[in-house]
C-alpha cells in the first residue's frame, strides 16, 4: 500500500500497489484548520510546549443520531515559543483539548472546522495548577490493585468528590 499526505490536506491511501502497474496518482483534498494562542491566565505569558488536540464526537453504534463518546486525538499540535498553534482537520465538529505541565487541562467544545470558512484566532487561557502523585499500599506495603482515588477541594469540605485516578492490577 502507499499513503500520501501533506500539511493542510487529508491523507489518501492506495491498496494493492505493484511495481509493474505503472504510476500511482493521488488527489488530496484540502482541509480546514483551527488556530490560536495559549496563554497563562494570570501572567498572560505564552505557554510553550502545550499539547493541543482535536477530538471528534463519535456516534452510538445502535443509533446514529445520538453521540456517546469522543474519539481523539484526531489531529494534534504543540505550541511554539509564542504559544501559537495551528491544526488542520477534515470539516466537522470537534472539541479542543489543551494540556500543559503546571496547568489545569482545558477543553473547548463546539469547535467547527470548515474549508469554506476562515477561522477566527482562538485565545485559550490556562489556569495554573498541579498534580498530586503517590502510592496506594496495603498493610504489607505492597501496591493495592483496583483502588479508586477520589479528591475534593480543600476549600469546600462539603463539596463533591471527583475521581482523580485508579490503581492498576
Amino acid at each position: 500500500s502507499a499513503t500520501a499526505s501533506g500539511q493542510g490536506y487529508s491523507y489518501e491511501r492506495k491498496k494493492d500497489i505493484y511495481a509493474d502497474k505503472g504510476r500511482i496518482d493521488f488527489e488530496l483534498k484540502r482541509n480546514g484548520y483551527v488556530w490560536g494562542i495559549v496563554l497563562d491566565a494570570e501572567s498572560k505569558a505564552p505557554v510553550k510546549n502545550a499539547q493541543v488536540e482535536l477530538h471528534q464526537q463519535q456516534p452510538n453504534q445502535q443509533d446514529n443520531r445520538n453521540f456517546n463518546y469522543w474519539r481523539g486525538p484526531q489531529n494534534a499540535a504543540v505550541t511554539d515559543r509564542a504559544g501559537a498553534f495551528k491544526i488542520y482537520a477534515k470539516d466537522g465538529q470537534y472539541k479542543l483539548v489543551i494540556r500543559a505541565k503546571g496547568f489545569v487541562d482545558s477543553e473547548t467544545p463546539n469547535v467547527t472546522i470548515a474549508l469554506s470558512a476562515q477561522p477566527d484566532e482562538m485565545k485559550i487561557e490556562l489556569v495554573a495548577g498541579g498534580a498530586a502523585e503517590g502510592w496506594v499500599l496495603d498493610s504489607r506495603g505492597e501496591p493495592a490493585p483496583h483502588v479508586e482515588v477520589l479528591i475534593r477541594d480543600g476549600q469546600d469540605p462539603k463539596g463533591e468528590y471527583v475521581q482523580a485516578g485508579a490503581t492498576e492490577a
Side-chain angles (χ1 to χ4, degrees):
S1 68
T3 303
S5 64
Q7 187 171 354
Y9 295 91
S10 58
Y11 79 94
E12 184 179 355
R13 182 176 177 197
K14 304 269 184 169
K15 295 181 179 182
D16 301 325
I17 304 298
Y18 299 98
D20 61 350
K21 296 250 182 168
R23 287 172 41 131
I24 304 169
D25 293 324
F26 293 93
E27 186 175 331
L28 301 181
K29 295 178 181 158
R30 290 191 72 53
N31 279 336
Y33 63 93
V34 61
W35 67 292
I37 186 167
V38 179
L39 302 171
D40 180 316
E42 188 175 325
S43 70
K44 306 302 182 210
V47 177
K48 64 180 180 177
N49 297 323
Q51 181 71 28
V52 184
E53 302 172 345
L54 283 174
H55 295 249
Q56 192 168 34
Q57 209 166 31
Q58 294 299 296
N60 183 326
Q61 299 301 331
Q62 279 77 38
D63 183 353
N64 287 335
R65 293 173 296 157
N66 294 327
F67 291 89
N68 66 343
Y69 69 95
W70 289 93
R71 186 180 85 185
Q74 296 301 297
N75 293 25
V78 175
T79 58
D80 62 16
R81 70 170 56 161
F85 68 89
K86 188 173 193 177
I87 304 175
Y88 292 91
K90 294 179 182 178
D91 288 2
Q93 194 75 18
Y94 298 86
K95 81 174 169 182
L96 193 68
V97 177
I98 301 173
R99 296 180 177 93
K101 187 174 183 179
F103 294 93
V104 176
D105 291 356
S106 172
E107 291 187 6
T108 304
N110 302 322
V111 174
T112 301
I113 294 182
L115 178 59
S116 60
Q118 178 72 24
D120 293 330
E121 179 182 25
M122 297 185 76
K123 185 177 178 183
I124 310 293
E125 293 187 356
L126 296 181
V127 176
E133 189 175 341
W135 292 92
V136 178
L137 304 175
D138 65 17
S139 60
R140 297 171 296 174
E142 297 293 322
H146 308 293
V147 176
E148 183 178 48
V149 178
L150 303 173
I151 61 169
R152 84 170 162 207
D153 186 344
Q155 301 298 318
D156 184 12
K158 293 185 179 183
E160 290 192 31
Y161 283 96
V162 295
Q163 182 173 0
T167 62
E168 297 177 5

